[in-house]
Amino acid sequence: GDSVTQMEGPVTLSEEAFLTINCTYTATGYPSLFWYVQYPGEGLQLLLKATKADDKGSNKGFEATYRKETTSFHLEKGSVQVSDSAVYFCALSGRSQGNLIFGKGTKLSVKP
Amino acid sequence: DTAVSQTPKYLVTQMGNDKSIKCEQNLGHDTMYWYKQDSKKFLKIMFSYNNKELIINETVPNRFSPKSPDKAHLNLHINSLELGDSAVYFCASSQETGGSPLHFGNGTRLTVT
């Protein structure tokens, strides 16, 4: 079945460091891909999405490119801030399914 | 106004009790979901309703019963609560069933003692 694998955390970075969180997927067909962020004590919020190969999703300085050839959707940010500390989830949505399939989440801690 | 709201935010109860969690969305979405997040932050779908009809029912004990009185509400009733039911339960909604982003509520932290 469809699945998402993302790098294990936690990831600890200093402010202004470069961030990469790896995400790869297995799916039939052509899923849409998403990154969600969960701040402490809150629900998940959509961070960015891409719906077809080579699309780049971007928001709040975060970017991810839908790579069909490597079945990847890695999340990047050039300069992280303390306020980016959260848990990040990669997810996919297949056309035949009525729900998102989430990765296990990667906790990011940014130190000042 | 909160788009997806669920109540209560915290729920502490004893084993064997029956409890309900309520969820409402004011986004006009057709599809609503219940997800369970365990202590390791792993998210798993439990149920999905589209226009008040059940479309996804994952392997969940039948002690869990969703109820959708209208397409803006999806409540979760849990009978005979067990210690292993302790988790954070998230309600979510989306415009359509495939490819649309989900809008999540802030979660209900259920603790069974």
Side-chain angles (χ1 to χ4, degrees):
Chain A
D2 296 354
S3 64
V4 174
T5 302
Q6 59 183 105
M7 62 188 285
E8 300 256 341
V11 173
T12 302
L13 295 173
S14 297
E15 211 165 17
E16 299 184 4
F18 184 86
L19 168 72
T20 300
I21 300 178
N22 290 338
C23 171
T24 57
Y25 67 90
T26 303
T28 54
Y30 303 95
S32 295
L33 301 174
F34 305 84
W35 276 101
Y36 281 80
V37 57
Q38 184 179 26
Y39 298 103
E42 298 183 11
L44 279 72
Q45 302 173 26
L46 178 66
L47 181 59
L48 53 85
K49 70 173 186 176
T51 57
K52 60 183 188 297
D54 300 326
D55 268 2
K56 178 186 280 188
S58 61
N59 185 26
K60 299 181 182 179
F62 291 89
E63 292 184 340
T65 301
Y66 190 142
R67 302 280 187 205
K68 188 164 176 286
E69 63 277 11
T70 54
T71 61
S72 64
F73 193 56
H74 304 322
L75 182 68
E76 295 182 337
K77 186 174 185 182
S79 175
V80 294
Q81 306 300 312
V82 172
S83 57
D84 294 326
S85 297
V87 181
Y88 292 81
F89 292 89
C90 185
L92 69 83
S93 176
R95 289 182 188 277
S96 61
Q97 294 179 328
N99 66 297
L100 293 185
I101 295 172
F102 287 90
K104 293 187 175 181
T106 302
K107 183 175 181 179
L108 170 66
S109 295
V110 180
K111 307 297 184 188
Chain B
D1 280 346
T2 304
V4 181
S5 58
Q6 52 183 112
T7 56
K9 187 173 173 65
Y10 299 98
L11 184 54
V12 181
T13 188
Q14 292 184 328
M15 285 173 55
N17 284 348
D18 303 339
K19 291 292 179 185
S20 292
I21 306 172
K22 296 186 176 181
C23 179
E24 175 181 5
Q25 55 97 1
N26 63 6
L27 298 166
H29 287 167
D30 291 332
T31 307
M32 295 185 72
Y33 310 80
W34 278 108
Y35 279 83
K36 179 180 180 180
Q37 186 176 47
D38 63 23
S39 59
K40 296 183 178 178
K41 300 290 188 183
F42 183 60
L43 270 164
K44 187 171 167 56
I45 184 133
M46 301 174 70
F47 302 103
S48 172
Y49 269 74
N50 180 260
N51 275 319
K52 302 195 311 177
E53 290 192 20
L54 182 66
I55 56 171
I56 291 177
N57 183 359
E58 291 295 310
T59 305
V60 174
N62 57 15
R63 299 180 294 104
F64 290 79
S65 54
K67 293 222 172 14
S68 182
D70 55 61
K71 76 172 196 177
H73 294 84
L74 180 62
N75 303 324
L76 183 65
H77 188 75
I78 316 169
N79 289 328
S80 303
L81 278 155
E82 300 177 357
L83 292 176
D85 298 332
S86 296
V88 182
Y89 292 85
F90 286 99
C91 178
S93 71
S94 68
Q95 183 61 40
E96 56 187 62
T97 54
S100 296
L102 270 58
H103 296 255
F104 283 83
N106 282 337
T108 296
R109 181 174 293 279
L110 171 65
T111 303
V112 182
T113 61

